[in-house]
Amino acid sequence: MSALKKDLGRLVNRDVGIYAIIKYYFLHMGFRAVALYRISDYFSSRKLYLLAKLIRNHNIKCTGAEFCLGCKIGPGLVIQHPNGIVIGGNTYIGINATILQQVTCGENYKDDRHDYPYIGDNVVIGAGAKVLGGVKIGDNCKIGANSVVVHSFPDGSTIAGIPGRRLNRD
């Protein structure tokens, strides 16, 4: 559960004191969605799939965020507004990611293959963005609101548009 402590720590580091910890732990819907994902992932990793799916379904009902079994998310995840977030199975998201509302990270069917995204560390995914298929998003990238990312991008990229294009060139 150290990942859950780091998730809470990223929220609390802006506020100070026990009140901030209580506020985020009990009242912040984004943290609740992340906590329920961590609990579901814990049971899934111990092959208690029924319990994991029940918690996953509770997460969908209470927060509107869907984390499919099998996705891997590093510690330090911050979700501001969990409504409409869908993270597909086998998707990987690195440490200290920030995800805004209505984001989809999922598979792309190609030749009877299921390709899932790999998203690096310290990535910010804007509201309504879609990351589809077997793409690799490098560390420290920013994905703009309502972008549709279907190609891989290197570290430090700023991505926007439909389809997503790199805005910053070195």
Side-chain angles (χ1 to χ4, degrees):
M1 288 294 172
S2 65
L4 194 57
K5 286 181 184 177
K6 186 155 185 186
D7 299 331
L8 182 60
R10 275 198 69 212
L11 287 170
V12 173
N13 72 359
R14 296 178 207 135
D15 290 340
V16 192
I18 191 70
Y19 173 73
I21 294 171
I22 292 170
K23 175 177 78 171
Y24 286 115
Y25 191 77
F26 290 107
L27 302 175
H28 193 271
M29 288 301 285
F31 180 74
R32 184 175 299 165
V34 173
L36 287 170
Y37 157 72
R38 299 280 183 214
I39 294 167
S40 175
D41 187 55
Y42 173 83
F43 287 120
S44 178
S45 67
R46 279 145 184 83
K47 297 187 180 2
L48 298 169
Y49 298 116
L50 180 62
L51 191 53
K53 287 181 181 182
L54 287 171
I55 293 169
R56 175 181 163 253
N57 289 345
H58 179 71
N59 195 3
I60 294 167
K61 183 178 178 183
C62 290
T63 66
E66 180 176 356
F67 297 92
C68 294
L69 297 182
C71 69
K72 294 296 173 203
I73 301 173
L77 175 64
V78 171
I79 293 177
Q80 292 299 330
H81 306 285
N83 190 27
I85 292 175
V86 178
I87 308 296
N90 295 330
T91 297
Y92 174 85
I93 299 175
I95 63 170
N96 295 331
T98 302
I99 300 176
L100 300 179
Q101 67 270 15
Q102 301 293 325
V103 167
T104 300
C105 297
E107 64 188 320
N108 188 11
Y109 297 106
K110 218 184 249 186
D111 302 328
D112 294 329
R113 252 186 359 200
H114 303 282
D115 294 327
Y116 291 91
Y118 178 94
I119 299 170
D121 299 339
N122 304 310
V123 173
V124 176
I125 305 175
K130 312 295 182 230
V131 182
L132 303 173
V135 299
K136 183 180 184 309
I137 307 299
D139 297 342
N140 304 309
C141 288
K142 294 180 182 86
I143 300 173
N146 294 316
S147 298
V148 177
V149 180
V150 292
H151 301 290
S152 296
F153 290 94
D155 295 351
S157 298
T158 300
I159 305 158
I162 303 172
R165 292 179 293 279
R166 186 172 179 199
L167 299 182
N168 58 339
R169 300 271 182 206
D170 293 350

